[in-house]
C-alpha cells in the first residue's frame, strides 16, 4: 500500500466510524502499518477490522487490529501452499463431520 492509499483508507475509516478518530494516533497508525505489511485492507472487502477499545491501563482508546476470515483466506492463497480453499458457513453444533471428496456433511 503506498502512502497516498494509506491516507485515503485512514480517512475513510475514521469518517465511517468516528470512534476510531478518538483513538490514539499511534494505535491507528500501527494498525494501518500492519495492514500495509500484510497487504490487506480494512473496509468493504472485510479482510481486517479496526475495533476501537478502551485501554484502562493507559486510560485511552486504542485501535484493535483484527484479521477477518476473508483476510486469512487471502493470506493462505498468497502463500502458494494451497491449491484450493473451501469455506462453508455453519452454526455451532450443526456439523459433526465433513467429507471434502463428496462435499456432504453429516448433521449433528
Amino acid at each position: 500500500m503506498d502512502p497516498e492509499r494509506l491516507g485515503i483508507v485512514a480517512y475513510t475509516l475514521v469518517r465511517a466510524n468516528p470512534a476510531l478518530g478518538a483513538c490514539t494516533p499511534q494505535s491507528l497508525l500501527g494498525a494501518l502499518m500492519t495492514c500495509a505489511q500484510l497487504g490487506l485492507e480494512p473496509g468493504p472487502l472485510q479482510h481486517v477490522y479496526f475495533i476501537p477499545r478502551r485501554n484502562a491501563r493507559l486510560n485511552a482508546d486504542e485501535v484493535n487490529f483484527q484479521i477477518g476470515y476473508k483476510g486469512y483466506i487471502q493470506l493462505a492463497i498468497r502463500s502458494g501452499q494451497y491449491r484450493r480453499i473451501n469455506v462453508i458457513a455453519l452454526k455451532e453444533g450443526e456439523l459433526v463431520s465433513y467429507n471434502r471428496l463428496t462435499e456432504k456433511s453429516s448433521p449433528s
Side-chain angles (χ1 to χ4, degrees):
M1 210 181 321
D2 62 41
E4 184 178 335
R5 178 74 185 150
L6 200 62
I8 291 169
V9 168
Y11 175 76
T12 304
L13 285 171
V14 172
R15 194 163 166 212
N17 186 354
L20 291 173
C23 293
T24 63
Q26 297 88 348
S27 67
L28 180 59
L29 185 58
L32 287 166
M33 291 299 163
T34 303
C35 282
Q37 289 173 337
L38 295 174
L40 300 174
E41 277 192 32
L45 294 178
Q46 300 175 336
H47 288 168
V48 298
Y49 299 95
F50 284 12
I51 304 165
R53 293 223 168 101
R54 185 78 180 159
N55 184 332
R57 190 171 42 89
L58 298 177
N59 195 29
D61 293 332
E62 293 184 324
V63 176
N64 184 280
F65 173 86
Q66 186 172 353
I67 300 177
Y69 82 93
K70 292 179 183 180
Y72 282 116
I73 291 170
Q74 190 62 232
L75 292 172
I77 289 169
R78 276 196 249 147
S79 75
Q81 295 181 13
Y82 304 94
R83 279 191 272 161
R84 185 180 199 180
I85 296 176
N86 294 320
V87 179
I88 58 172
L90 54 108
K91 297 176 185 164
E92 186 175 340
E94 185 176 68
L95 189 69
V96 173
S97 65
Y98 178 77
N99 184 334
R100 67 179 181 82
L101 299 175
T102 62
E103 295 187 14
K104 291 184 180 178
S105 60
S106 301
S108 55

